[in-house]
Amino acid sequence: MLKTLGAHIREYKKASILTPIFMILEVLFEMIIPFLMASIIDKGIEAGNMGHIYKVGAFMVVAAFLGLLAGLLGGRYGAIASAGFAKNVRKAMYDNIQTFSFSNIDKFSTSGLVTRLTTDVTNLQNAYQMILRMCMRAPASLICAMCMAFYTNIRIASIYLIAVFLLGIVLFIIIKITMKYFNQVFKKYDKLNESVQENVSAIRVVKAYAREGHEKEKFDTAGGNIYKMFVKAESLIALNSPIMQFTVYTCILLISWIGANMIVGSSLTTGELTALLSYCMNILMSLMMLSMIFVMITLSIASAERIVEVLDEKADITNPENPVLEVTDGSVVFDHVNFRYKKDAEDYVLKDINLDIHTGETVGILGGTGSAKSSLVNLISRLYDVTDGQVKVGGRDVREYDIEVLRDEVSVVLQKNVLFSGTVLENLRWGDKNATREECIHACELACADEFISKMKDGYDTYIEQGGSNVSGGQKQRICIARALLKKPKILILDDSTSAVDTATDAKIRKAFAEEIPGTTKFIIAQRISSIEHCDRIIVMEDGMVDGFGTHKELLENNEIYHDIYESQMSGSGDFDEPGKE
Amino acid sequence: MPEQNSKPIKGPGRRGPMGPKPKIKNPGKLFVRLMKYILRYYTPHCIVVVACIIATVLSSVQGTMFIQTLIDDYIEPMTRSQNLDFGPLAERMFRVAVFYAVGVVTAYIQSRVMVNVSQGTLLRLREEMFSKMESLPIKYFDTHSHGDIMSMYTNDIDTLRQMISQSIPQFINSLITVVSVLACMMVLSVPLTVLTLVMVGVVMYLTKKLAGLSGSYFVAQQKDIGELNGYIEEMISGQKVVKVFCHEEESKEHFSEKNEKLYESAYQANQFANMLGPINAQVGNISYVFCAIAGGLLALNGVFDFTIGKLVSFLNFNRSFNMPISQISQQLNAVVMALAGADRIFALMDEQPETDDGYVELVNARENHDGTLTECEERTGIWAWKHFHKEENTTTYQRLEGEVVFDHVDFGYNDEKIILHDIEMYAKPGQKIAFVGATGAGKTTITNLINRFYDIQDGKIRYDGINVNKIKKKDLRQSLGVVLQDTHLFTGTVEENIRYGKLNASHEEVVNASKLANAHSFIKRLPDGYNTMLTGDGASLSQGQRQLLAIARAAIADPPALILDEATSSIDTRTEKLVQQGMDRLMGGRTTFVIAHRLSTVRNSDCIMVLEDGRIIERGTHDELIDRQGKYYQLYTGKTASDLV
C-alpha cells in the first residue's frame, strides 16, 4: 500500500523531504533554549555576571527566531507536499478510472468512486501532512529532549527513560483496546444510521401502517446499546489524561527530591535542575503527541486502503496488441455466446446466444425486465466481454478492434443516459468534436429534438444543467439520440431510449431512421410493441435466452410470449400513463 | 446490466476546521439553549465536572509554585547553611504529593463523568430527533433532501459530540488555567507578568492577521473543492456515457485543470494555517526568553524581592500561560462549528408535528343479537368507529363499512398552487375505484389524501360519514391498507417484514398472508426461507418479489379498505401474473382505490375516474366510458396517438 501511494509523491519529493527536516530544525532550536536558560541561572544569576545574561540571552533570542523560521518553512513545505500529493493521487485515480470498463465501474459503484475521489483523498491529504510535520517532530523532540537531559544529568535523565517506557506501554495498551471498541461501536453506529436512512426513505410505509411507535422502540433499543458501548470505550480513554498527569507529577516530585539532594551535595546546579524540569515536560508532551498521531494514522488507513483499491484496479477490457482500425460493415454475429457479470456468479446472464444480423437491418428486441436485453447489446460495443463464444462485428471478433474505433462505429444510447452541464451544442459534440452547427441541427432533426430545441430561449446554446435537470425526460432522450447519431455509426443501438417519448414522436424518429440512415444497422430495445413491430426482425428475450427471432408476423403466429405481450398491449391495456412517463 | 446505485448519495460536505465560518443568526441564544438542554438532566454532573476541573488546575498550579519554594526556601538555604536536614522538605513534598494525587483523581472523575454527560446527551438528542422525525408530516420529507436529514444524524451529531465532550471542558479548563496562572504570575512578579501579557498581545495580533490572510485563501480553496467535487460527481455518474463516446481524454484534461487549481489554493490556504502553530510556539519561546533575561536581571540585582526560585516558577507559568491562550481560540472555533449543527438539529426539533385532532377511534367489535356493537379486544373481522361524545359523556359505536366520499375537495401542496380541483367521488363499501390518467394528473395525490398524508385546502373527505379530520390518524391509517408503487422493505427477516402489517401476527398468519399474496412459493425457495435476512431495502430480491412481499404485508394487516398503486415497471411475465393474482385476491371484498396501469384491473373496477390536470374529467364503468369515446377511449385504444403513425 505504502509503495503504491508513495509512487505518487513524484515532484513533491523535495517538499516532502524538506518538511520533516525543517520540523526537526525547529525542535533543535527549541531544545537549546532550556539549556541556555540553565547557563543564565548558573553562570549569570548565581555568579552575578550581567554580561553573561545579555550574551546568552541574545543567543536565546536568535535560537527562538531561527526556530520560528524553521517552523514557518516547515509549514510551507508541508502544505505544498500534502496538497501536491493529494493532487497527484486524485489525478492518478481519475486517470485510472477512465480506463475502467463497465464491469470495473459496476464493482465500485458510482457513489463509491465519488467518495474515494473526494472524502478519502482529503483524509489522506490531512494524514500525509500530519505525518510529515508531526511524525518527525514528536519523536525528534522526544529524542532531543532525552539527549539534552542525559547530557545535563544522567541519573535524573534515567528517571525519564523509565517514565517514558512505562507511559508508552500504558498509552499503547489503552489505544489498542479502545480502537477495538471503537471499531465495533462505529460499525453499530453505521447500522443505526442506515436504519434512520431506511426510515427516511420509507416514511410513507411507516406512516401508512401507523408504525411510528414501533420504529421508535427499535431505534431506542439500538441507540441504547450504542450508548453503552460508547461509554465503555470512552471510559477507557478518560484514563489517558489522569495517567499522563500522574506520570508528570511523579517525575516532578522525584526530580525535585533527587535534584535537591544533588544540588545540596553539589553534583547538580539550580540551573540544570530547571532545564531538566523543562525537558521533562517536553518529553512527556511529545509522547502524548505520538499517541495522537498513531490514532490519526489508524483512522486514515481505511481511506488509504480504499484509494489503493482504485489505483490497483486493472481495467479488464484493454486494447489488443495489433488492433484492427477499421470496421468494414455493420453486420453483427453472436456465436454461442455465454455471459455473466462476475466470474463467480452462479448463473449466466446470457445463455447460448446465436444471432446473425446483416448490415442495414433494423432489429427490435423485446422482453421483460431482467431478460438481459441490455446485456445482449452491451456486448456489441464491447462494454463487457463475453464469457464464452464470440461476438463479431463486420466479420471480426470485437476483441480484435481498437476500442475507440469500435465504439465510434457502434453507437449506443444507454438506458440510463446522461447529459452533462454545458450547452446543447457542447453536449451534441460529444458525438463528434468537429461537427458543424448544421450537422448538429440535422442530427437533432432526425431525432425529433430540433422541434423543441429551436423553441428554447437560447436555442442550441441553451445551458443544460447537471444531469439535464432542466429538460424533460423525453427531451433528454431525444438529445441523447441526436448525440449518438452525430458519430455517424455503422451500428446504432437504442436501449429503451424512447420510453419517455410519446408514441407519435417515436414513430417519426423511426421513420427518419429508415429514410435517412438506411445503411446503418439499428438495434431497438423497447417495452412497447408499437415501437418495434415494423422492424425487419425482432428478438424476443426471456430469461437470458433468445425465445424467438423473426418478423412481427412470424412471431405473432408462433411465439407465445410475443403473442401474449401483443395481446395485452394491442388490446389496449398497455400503460395508461404512457405519454407522460418519464 | 446489474442494478446499481445511479444516484450517488451526496456526502454532506465536510467542513474543515478552517473553512469559512457558518452563519448562525443568534449564536449566544443557541448556545444557551444547548447548555440548557444538557443541564436539564445533567446539572449535578456538570457541577461535579466544573469542580473537578478547578481542583485539577489548582493542583497543577500549586505544583509549579512549589518549585519556587523548593529552590528559594529549601535548596538555597541548605546549600548555604550546610544544614542537611531533609526532614522539612520531605514533609513539604508529601503535602505537594497529596495535592497532586487529588489532581489526578479529579482529572479522572472529570473525564469519566463527562463521558456520561456527552454520550447521555447525545443519546437523548438522537432519540428525540428520531421520535420527532417520525411525527413529522410527509410534507417535511418532500421539502428536505434525505441527504440533509441524514447529515444531522451523522455529521451534526458528531461535531456536537466533539464539542460537548472535548471543546467545552477544555475551554473551561483553559479559562481557569489562564486566570489562576495569571494570578500566580502576579504574585511572583508584576513587571514580568506585564511583559508576558505584551507578548501574548503580539501573538494574538499576528494570529488575527494570519487568520485574515488565510481566510481569503480558504474561501478560494472551498470554492475549488466544490467545483472539483461537482465535476467528479457529474463525470463519474456519467462515466458509462464517457466510455461509450470515448471521451476519456477530454474528461481527464478538464479534471486536471480543476485539480491544478485546487492544488494552488489548497497549498496557499494550508501554508498560512500551518504558520499559526510555529508562531504560537516560537513567539511563546521568545516571550520565555525575554522573561528569562529580564527575570535574570531582576534576580541578580534583587529588585522587587525577585529570586531564582521565583524566576524558575515564573518561567514555567509563562510556558503554561501561552498554551491555553492559543487553545481558547481553537475551542471557540470548534464551538461555533458545532453550533451550526445544533442549529439544524434544533430546527428539526422545532418543526410542527403532524396535527392530529381526531378523537374517533377504530376498535374491534362484536355484533350483539339486537344488531348493536360491543367493543372487544380480539380481532373479530368486525370493526367499529368509536365515538366519544363529550357533551353527553356517552360513547357510541358505528360499524366500519368502507364508504369514502370526496365532497368538493381542493388540494395543493401549498396554498398558492392548487393541483386538485373540486374532486367529487363516492365509493360504496366493497367497491373498487380505479384512477387512470397521465403521470402528474394527480392520481397518487388523491390516494394520499384519503389516509391524510396531506391535508386538503377545501372541501370534505368522509369515511363512513365521518369527516376524516375527526378520526385519529393512527386509526384512520390502520383501517387503510397500502401497497405503494415503490416497495420499501426494512432490514430484518422476510417474516419480520411481512409482520410489519400486524406486529403480533403468528407464524401461521404470516404464511397464510404470503400464500394469499402468492409470495409463499418464492419465500420457501430463499436460503433461509422466512428467516432470510433482507438488507439494503431488500436488494437481494427482484422487483417482482419485493412487490409480492408488499402485498403480503398489506394482506396480513387485513384492512377493511385498500389503496393500491400498481407498479409501472414491467416485471417478467410470470411474476407479473403472480402479482396480479395476489392483488386481485387482496382486493376481494374490500373497498379499494387503485391507481391502475393494467387493463384487467381497470376493466374489473366498479367505477373508473379519469384524471387530467388535477380534475376528474370522466367517470363511469369501463363500458360506459368506451361508449362515450372520450379521453378514456383514447387512452384505452391509443387511437389518437396511433392515428399519426
Side-chain angles (χ1 to χ4, degrees):
Chain A
M1 186 171 83
L2 286 180
K3 220 172 134 194
T4 320
L5 289 174
H8 296 287
I9 300 173
R10 277 182 297 166
E11 69 261 42
Y12 300 103
K13 245 179 214 135
K14 193 184 107 192
S16 298
I17 294 167
L18 283 178
T19 310
I21 291 180
F22 280 120
M23 296 318 287
I24 292 172
L25 279 178
E26 187 192 8
V27 168
L28 286 178
F29 289 124
E30 240 177 35
M31 287 307 148
I32 294 173
I33 291 173
F35 182 72
L36 294 175
M37 187 64 217
S39 163
I40 285 191
I41 291 177
D42 292 337
K43 298 195 182 120
I45 305 172
E46 299 263 358
N49 184 345
M50 279 254 256
H52 187 78
I53 295 181
Y54 284 129
K55 204 177 82 194
V56 178
F59 275 128
M60 280 167 83
V61 174
V62 171
F65 271 106
L66 285 175
L68 178 63
L69 187 67
L72 292 181
L73 285 171
R76 177 184 158 76
Y77 285 113
I80 293 179
S82 59
F85 177 57
K87 180 188 82 177
N88 285 347
V89 168
R90 219 183 279 124
K91 175 143 180 54
M93 283 169 83
Y94 195 80
D95 287 358
N96 200 32
I97 291 171
Q98 296 308 313
T99 69
F100 280 12
S101 72
F102 274 34
S103 56
N104 293 120
I105 299 171
D106 294 341
K107 183 177 150 194
F108 286 104
S109 94
T110 305
S111 55
L113 285 174
V114 171
T115 318
R116 284 163 214 246
L117 271 167
T118 54
T119 317
D120 284 335
V121 172
T122 310
N123 286 348
L124 186 70
Q125 175 179 348
N126 291 339
Y128 188 61
Q129 174 148 310
M130 179 97 177
I131 290 169
L132 286 183
R133 300 185 64 217
M134 291 303 157
C135 254
M136 287 298 157
R137 197 184 196 284
S141 165
L142 182 75
I143 293 166
C144 283
M146 198 63 99
C147 290
M148 296 300 269
F150 269 100
Y151 178 74
T152 313
N153 190 291
I154 296 177
R155 226 176 104 194
I156 290 180
S158 39
I159 296 175
Y160 298 157
L161 205 59
I162 296 166
V164 164
F165 186 67
L166 290 179
L167 187 60
I169 291 177
V170 173
L171 285 182
F172 185 75
I173 292 173
I174 290 180
I175 289 171
K176 261 290 190 231
I177 298 175
T178 47
M179 286 304 277
K180 206 181 82 199
Y181 279 143
F182 271 115
N183 279 336
Q184 284 172 3
V185 72
F186 278 130
K187 256 182 221 148
K188 280 253 161 91
Y189 193 45
D190 284 348
K191 281 238 172 83
L192 182 79
N193 285 330
E194 269 168 34
S195 88
V196 176
Q197 172 106 46
E198 214 167 72
N199 254 277
V200 173
S201 56
I203 189 74
R204 280 163 197 271
V205 177
V206 174
K207 291 208 171 258
Y209 283 94
R211 288 282 175 263
E212 292 96 330
H214 174 67
E215 291 298 328
K216 260 183 249 170
E217 249 170 61
K218 274 203 308 200
F219 184 86
D220 288 356
T221 321
N225 280 335
I226 283 175
Y227 167 76
K228 278 184 212 134
M229 290 179 74
F230 256 124
V231 169
K232 205 163 140 197
E234 291 203 336
S235 299
L236 262 172
I237 290 200
L239 280 170
N240 262 1
S241 91
I243 288 178
M244 173 80 188
Q245 278 176 4
F246 175 77
T247 320
V248 173
Y249 292 160
T250 313
C251 282
I252 290 180
L253 287 174
L254 281 174
I255 297 164
S256 304
W257 179 252
I258 298 170
N261 274 297
M262 286 172 75
I263 293 172
V264 174
S266 295
S267 53
L268 187 79
T269 64
T270 317
E272 283 168 351
L273 178 69
T274 60
L276 284 171
L277 283 172
S278 288
Y279 292 135
C280 169
M281 293 305 275
N282 272 327
I283 289 171
L284 298 172
M285 286 308 278
S286 352
L287 199 63
M288 207 63 189
M289 189 74 92
L290 267 181
S291 73
M292 256 172 57
I293 296 169
F294 181 72
V295 173
M296 281 281 280
I297 292 178
T298 332
L299 288 178
S300 61
I301 279 180
S303 285
E305 274 169 357
R306 277 195 294 269
I307 289 173
V308 168
E309 267 173 34
V310 175
L311 289 173
D312 283 349
E313 180 79 7
K314 292 266 179 307
D316 55 13
I317 294 184
T318 47
N319 253 344
E321 265 180 39
N322 297 306
V324 179
L325 294 172
E326 201 191 351
V327 181
T328 48
D329 61 56
S331 67
V332 176
V333 174
F334 279 76
D335 184 10
H336 294 283
V337 169
N338 287 324
F339 173 66
R340 56 188 164 195
Y341 282 103
K342 285 192 189 115
K343 282 197 188 71
D344 47 359
E346 273 177 42
D347 276 330
Y348 284 102
V349 176
L350 289 171
K351 281 159 269 187
D352 196 34
I353 306 286
N354 289 293
L355 294 166
D356 191 352
I357 289 141
H358 317 298
T359 293
E361 206 174 357
T362 303
V363 179
I365 303 175
L366 194 73
T369 308
S371 60
K373 298 176 305 235
S374 297
S375 311
L376 182 78
V377 293
N378 282 341
L379 297 178
I380 302 175
S381 57
R382 215 187 157 201
L383 298 176
Y384 296 92
D385 267 342
V386 296
T387 314
D388 300 308
Q390 56 178 343
V391 177
K392 286 188 205 161
V393 168
R396 278 173 178 275
D397 192 312
V398 287
R399 284 167 291 193
E400 291 172 26
Y401 288 107
D402 176 75
I403 294 177
E404 198 167 336
V405 168
L406 178 73
R407 289 188 186 156
D408 274 340
E409 295 295 352
V410 183
S411 192
V412 192
V413 182
L414 294 172
Q415 193 175 21
K416 280 179 189 154
N417 223 320
V418 242
L419 294 175
F420 297 88
S421 46
T423 66
V424 175
L425 265 187
E426 279 167 14
N427 266 289
L428 290 170
R429 285 195 179 127
W430 274 60
D432 177 7
K433 251 180 288 180
N434 308 314
T436 62
R437 200 182 173 91
E438 285 65 42
E439 285 176 301
C440 291
I441 294 177
H442 181 67
C444 285
E445 281 166 357
L446 284 181
C448 290
D450 182 62
E451 51 191 62
F452 69 86
I453 297 175
S454 51
K455 272 186 215 142
M456 287 177 166
K457 208 174 92 230
D458 298 317
Y460 280 81
D461 297 313
T462 305
Y463 194 83
I464 304 282
E465 301 291 334
Q466 182 172 342
S469 55
N470 57 340
V471 286
S472 79
Q475 293 174 337
K476 197 157 78 177
Q477 288 187 336
R478 282 180 272 172
I479 297 178
C480 289
I481 293 173
R483 179 172 67 180
L485 281 174
L486 274 168
K487 275 190 180 178
K488 301 194 188 67
K490 290 206 168 65
I491 299 172
L492 177 67
I493 299 170
L494 304 180
D495 189 353
D496 208 3
S497 311
T498 55
S499 58
V501 177
D502 65 85
T503 339
T505 313
D506 188 18
K508 265 204 266 177
I509 298 174
R510 268 182 283 122
K511 201 170 145 227
F513 281 178
E515 287 166 8
E516 301 269 348
I517 45 168
T520 304
T521 313
K522 293 165 282 277
F523 289 86
I524 300 173
I525 296 181
Q527 306 277 352
R528 286 178 286 191
I529 287 225
S530 66
S531 300
I532 53 162
E533 60 179 324
H534 306 291
C535 292
D536 297 326
R537 281 190 289 175
I538 297 157
I539 301 169
V540 180
M541 295 293 296
E542 172 84 353
D543 228 3
M545 284 181 285
V546 175
D547 191 78
F549 186 31
T551 64
H552 173 66
K553 233 175 148 184
E554 287 164 17
L555 289 172
L556 209 49
E557 274 164 26
N558 47 33
N559 187 282
E560 197 192 334
I561 296 176
Y562 192 80
H563 184 83
D564 276 1
I565 299 177
Y566 182 80
E567 277 299 299
S568 69
Q569 287 192 6
M570 283 304 129
S571 58
S573 116
D575 225 331
F576 272 97
D577 28 40
E578 218 166 63
K581 191 178 155 201
E582 301 277 292
Chain B
M1 283 182 336
E3 224 19 69
Q4 55 145 9
N5 237 349
S6 60
K7 251 190 239 157
I9 299 157
K10 274 231 170 108
R14 280 213 177 195
R15 296 175 282 268
M18 292 286 294
K21 270 182 206 153
K23 283 210 175 74
I24 314 169
K25 261 184 233 136
N26 200 335
K29 219 169 146 191
L30 195 60
F31 185 74
V32 170
R33 182 169 177 191
L34 185 65
M35 288 322 279
K36 271 191 187 153
Y37 189 86
I38 298 170
L39 290 176
R40 200 177 331 145
Y41 286 86
Y42 291 105
T43 311
H45 294 74
C46 289
I47 293 172
V48 170
V49 166
V50 172
C52 281
I53 291 177
I54 294 175
T56 310
V57 170
L58 289 182
S59 139
S60 143
V61 168
Q62 66 91 27
T64 316
M65 283 300 265
F66 160 72
I67 292 173
Q68 183 245 329
T69 326
L70 173 74
I71 295 174
D72 289 347
D73 297 354
Y74 297 97
I75 297 179
E76 292 286 319
M78 276 199 277
T79 42
R80 265 178 236 128
S81 70
Q82 304 299 322
N83 167 18
L84 297 182
D85 179 13
F86 280 93
L89 177 59
E91 207 176 292
R92 183 64 220 275
M93 281 187 65
F94 178 72
R95 276 218 312 268
V96 174
V98 170
F99 276 116
Y100 270 154
V102 172
V104 170
V105 171
T106 51
Y108 176 71
I109 294 175
Q110 178 237 315
S111 2
R112 182 63 189 79
V113 172
M114 225 32 228
V115 170
N116 278 5
V117 174
S118 64
Q119 286 301 333
T121 305
L122 291 178
L123 173 72
R124 197 155 56 89
L125 206 55
R126 270 200 297 263
E127 284 181 356
E128 280 178 29
M129 274 164 75
F130 188 80
S131 126
K132 183 70 186 208
M133 184 182 89
E134 292 287 299
S135 78
L136 292 176
I138 296 288
K139 206 172 182 172
Y140 181 85
F141 299 90
D142 292 343
T143 49
H144 293 75
S145 89
H146 293 180
D148 285 349
I149 299 176
M150 279 317 294
S151 109
M152 278 189 265
Y153 286 93
T154 52
N155 279 17
D156 294 343
I157 286 266
D158 278 344
T159 45
L160 268 187
R161 183 183 63 183
Q162 286 263 324
M163 165 180 167
I164 299 172
S165 67
Q166 286 172 19
S167 306
I168 293 184
Q170 273 173 16
F171 180 74
I172 299 173
N173 192 317
S174 303
L175 213 61
I176 295 172
T177 308
V178 166
V179 172
S180 49
V181 167
L182 196 62
C184 289
M185 290 202 299
M186 298 282 251
V187 169
L188 289 172
S189 165
V190 177
L192 287 187
T193 310
V194 173
L195 183 61
T196 308
L197 285 178
V198 168
M199 291 308 283
V200 167
V202 172
V203 171
M204 288 201 338
Y205 173 77
L206 287 175
T207 311
K208 217 180 150 202
K209 275 266 147 177
L210 269 180
L213 256 176
S214 70
S216 59
Y217 283 110
F218 267 101
V219 172
Q221 179 188 243
Q222 220 58 28
K223 198 177 130 258
D224 291 342
I225 285 187
E227 257 177 45
L228 183 72
N229 287 0
Y231 186 77
I232 288 174
E233 236 186 88
E234 175 166 18
M235 294 318 279
I236 299 292
S237 315
Q239 189 60 32
K240 292 195 170 178
V241 177
V242 172
K243 297 300 293 184
V244 165
F245 284 93
C246 302
H247 226 259
E248 294 94 336
E249 288 308 316
E250 285 90 338
S251 161
K252 275 193 214 169
E253 237 169 69
H254 285 161
F255 173 83
S256 253
E257 260 169 48
K258 295 190 156 61
N259 198 17
E260 283 297 331
K261 220 171 126 205
L262 171 62
Y263 161 72
E264 285 296 325
S265 57
Y267 104 77
Q268 295 276 23
N270 277 304
Q271 176 180 341
F272 285 111
N274 285 352
M275 284 184 179
L276 289 178
I279 286 184
N280 264 323
Q282 301 308 329
V283 176
N285 273 337
I286 293 170
S287 159
Y288 178 91
V289 171
F290 282 163
C291 286
I293 300 170
L297 293 176
L298 290 180
L300 181 58
N301 300 322
V303 198
F304 300 121
D305 247 355
F306 205 65
T307 58
I308 295 181
K310 281 184 178 175
L311 176 61
V312 175
S313 277
F314 188 91
L315 287 177
N316 273 326
F317 280 130
N318 175 291
R319 268 275 150 82
S320 43
F321 188 61
N322 286 322
M323 204 142 60
I325 290 235
S326 62
Q327 272 174 6
I328 283 179
S329 71
Q330 275 174 29
Q331 282 138 10
L332 275 181
N333 240 337
V335 169
V336 172
M337 286 294 165
L339 281 183
D343 195 25
R344 284 186 287 269
I345 290 176
F346 282 133
L348 170 74
M349 302 254 224
D350 291 342
E351 283 286 336
Q352 226 26 55
E354 265 187 297
T355 47
D356 188 7
D357 315 323
Y359 56 88
V360 176
E361 292 172 57
L362 183 70
V363 292
N364 286 305
R366 185 175 289 129
E367 191 165 8
N368 301 326
H369 297 296
D370 55 357
T372 56
L373 297 168
T374 327
E375 185 178 345
C376 61
E377 288 296 315
E378 73 279 6
R379 205 175 260 237
T380 53
I382 300 175
W383 285 273
W385 298 110
K386 179 183 180 185
H387 291 255
F388 179 73
H389 305 279
K390 222 190 252 161
E391 302 87 47
E392 300 125 53
N393 200 16
T394 52
T395 310
T396 55
Y397 294 95
Q398 177 189 351
R399 194 188 190 113
L400 184 147
E401 306 277 1
E403 178 198 84
V404 176
V405 176
F406 274 56
D407 186 4
H408 297 286
V409 170
D410 285 346
F411 169 75
Y413 291 103
N414 50 46
D415 286 334
E416 291 95 62
K417 208 179 150 210
I418 300 297
I419 56 166
L420 286 181
H421 306 271
D422 199 28
I423 301 291
E424 286 271 331
M425 193 172 82
Y426 191 93
K428 288 192 195 120
Q431 267 193 336
K432 206 200 260 184
I433 310 286
F435 298 100
V436 298
T439 303
K443 295 168 299 189
T444 308
T445 316
I446 290 193
T447 57
N448 280 339
L449 300 181
I450 304 174
N451 59 9
R452 285 191 73 200
F453 274 175
Y454 302 98
D455 277 330
I456 54 178
Q457 257 71 7
D458 201 16
K460 283 198 176 69
I461 302 173
R462 293 202 188 82
Y463 195 145
D464 285 339
I466 310 162
N467 186 335
V468 286
N469 292 345
K470 292 189 184 155
I471 303 174
K472 278 194 177 170
K473 271 193 174 160
K474 178 173 171 287
D475 296 279
L476 173 68
R477 288 177 184 162
Q478 279 188 335
S479 76
L480 288 157
V482 173
V483 179
L484 295 169
Q485 191 173 5
D486 306 314
T487 313
H488 287 289
L489 298 173
F490 295 88
T491 302
T493 63
V494 170
E495 178 151 353
E496 279 164 3
N497 265 289
I498 297 175
R499 202 171 269 149
Y500 205 79
K502 183 185 173 193
L503 294 179
N504 55 2
S506 67
H507 180 70
E508 272 63 49
E509 286 176 277
V510 172
V511 174
N512 286 338
S514 312
K515 281 182 178 158
L516 181 128
N518 265 340
H520 182 68
S521 55
F522 98 78
I523 296 173
K524 261 196 333 200
R525 273 184 276 124
L526 291 175
D528 293 316
Y530 280 88
N531 295 322
T532 308
M533 272 303 280
L534 300 179
T535 52
D537 205 0
S540 52
L541 301 179
S542 77
Q543 190 59 33
Q545 291 170 332
R546 289 152 46 96
Q547 277 179 25
L548 292 176
L549 282 188
I551 298 171
R553 183 166 65 185
I556 203 166
D558 192 18
L562 265 181
I563 297 172
L564 296 183
D565 198 345
E566 281 187 334
T568 36
S569 64
S570 55
I571 38 187
D572 65 276
T573 26
R574 264 164 296 176
T575 318
E576 171 131 6
K577 271 183 191 148
L578 291 178
V579 171
Q580 188 64 39
Q581 249 180 24
M583 287 243 191
D584 287 345
R585 274 192 229 148
L586 185 60
M587 287 188 272
R590 303 175 212 270
T591 310
T592 307
F593 298 92
V594 54
I595 298 166
H597 303 291
R598 296 185 186 87
L599 178 71
S600 61
T601 319
V602 183
R603 224 172 352 209
N604 296 335
S605 304
D606 298 296
C607 187
I608 301 162
M609 306 275 169
V610 184
L611 280 155
E612 194 172 71
D613 293 333
R615 290 174 204 278
I616 297 178
I617 53 166
E618 283 170 34
R619 68 180 79 209
T621 62
H622 175 73
D623 296 334
E624 285 165 21
L625 290 175
I626 287 295
D627 286 345
R628 186 178 299 178
Q629 300 226 333
K631 182 79 186 171
Y632 180 80
Y633 178 80
Q634 268 179 35
L635 284 170
Y636 179 74
T637 56
K639 269 284 150 53
T640 43
S642 39
D643 283 347
L644 288 168
V645 180

